[in-house]
């Protein structure tokens, strides 16, 4: 426990930086909603109305995706961060992924709130927020671990030329990534079996007029 606390304390500036970058992405994504053209807004509104009807009626069009596909998507995201962290040139890529994740969440929540007001906020809370309560910290920990490993390579292998041992930092990095991958399976489980039921509970409130 003590090594973890010390590591967290040492990496706290990185956690703050990644968190701020993510929040900037969320804000940017929410602002992107205002940049949509009228035609794009109408297309999205039509798609969501159709989705809510299918979700309420339990039709095939609203059937939840499989656990395998959801888990695969999350694990690919974790794996990409891990691979980017192994190289110095991949460090900016980790930051881009964190920003992009924030943009996606900000856009989804911003559009739902803008289109459906408090009902949209409620739907966003049950469809986006639950899995991300764990998912976002997991991605942040993976990102910080990747950034820290890249900085270690830069500091000890490139700048000082001291040739510091890379085995222990790499082992710690790999272990952290594996633990986060297991936690992502928990996120995928929630997203596959719990979130759809929560969305189905809220969907009737957002049905287009005359559909309920």
């Amino acid at each position: 426990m003590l090594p973890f606390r010390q590591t967290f304390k040492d990496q706290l500036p990185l956690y703050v930086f990644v968190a701020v970058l993510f929040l900037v992405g969320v804000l940017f994504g929410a602002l992107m909603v205002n940049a949509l053209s009228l035609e794009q807004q109408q297309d999205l509104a039509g798609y969501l109305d159709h989705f809510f009807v299918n979700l309420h009626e339990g039709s095939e069009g609203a059937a939840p995706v499989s656990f395998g596909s959801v888990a695969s998507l999350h694990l690919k995201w974790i794996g990409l961060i891990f691979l980017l962290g192994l190289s110095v040139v991949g460090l900016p890529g980790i930051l881009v992924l964190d920003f992009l994740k924030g943009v996606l969440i900000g856009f989804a929540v911003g559009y739902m709130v803008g289109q459906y007001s408090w009902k949209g906020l409620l739907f966003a809370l049950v469809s986006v927020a639950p899995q991300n309560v764990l998912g976002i910290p997991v991605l942040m920990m993976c990102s910080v671990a990747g950034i820290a490993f890249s900085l270690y390579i830069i500091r000890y292998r490139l700048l000082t030329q001291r040739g510091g041992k890379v085995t222990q930092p790499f082992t710690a990095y790999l272990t952290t990534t594996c633990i986060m991958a297991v936690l992502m399976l928990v996120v995928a489980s929630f997203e596959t079996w719990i979130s759809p039921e929560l969305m189905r509970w809220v969907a009737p409130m957002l049905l287009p007029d005359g559909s309920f």
Side-chain angles (χ1 to χ4, degrees), residues 11 14 76-98 139-155 157-158 166 169-174 176-177:
Q11 296 178 347
L14 292 179
K76 285 178 180 178
W77 198 283
I78 295 290
L80 181 56
I81 292 176
F82 175 75
L83 293 176
L84 290 173
L86 293 177
S87 61
V88 175
V89 295
L91 193 153
I94 297 177
L95 302 179
V96 170
L97 288 178
D98 292 330
L139 288 177
M140 287 182 61
M141 292 188 69
C142 287
S143 299
V144 169
I147 294 171
F149 186 76
S150 293
L151 292 177
Y152 177 86
I153 297 298
I154 294 173
R155 184 180 302 116
R157 307 288 290 190
L158 298 180
V166 75
F170 175 76
T171 301
Y173 180 34
L174 180 61
T176 299
T177 301

Side-chain angles (χ1 to χ4, degrees), residues 109-124 206:
V109 175
Y111 181 80
M112 292 300 301
V113 173
Q115 186 71 21
Y116 299 100
S117 186
W118 68 269
K119 296 179 181 179
L121 177 60
L122 178 60
F123 188 83
L206 292 93

Side-chain angles (χ1 to χ4, degrees), residues 115-138:
Q115 186 71 21
Y116 299 100
S117 186
W118 68 269
K119 296 179 181 179
L121 177 60
L122 178 60
F123 188 83
L125 288 176
V126 301
S127 62
V128 177
Q131 58 265 29
N132 283 303
V133 168
L134 176 61
I136 294 305
V138 166

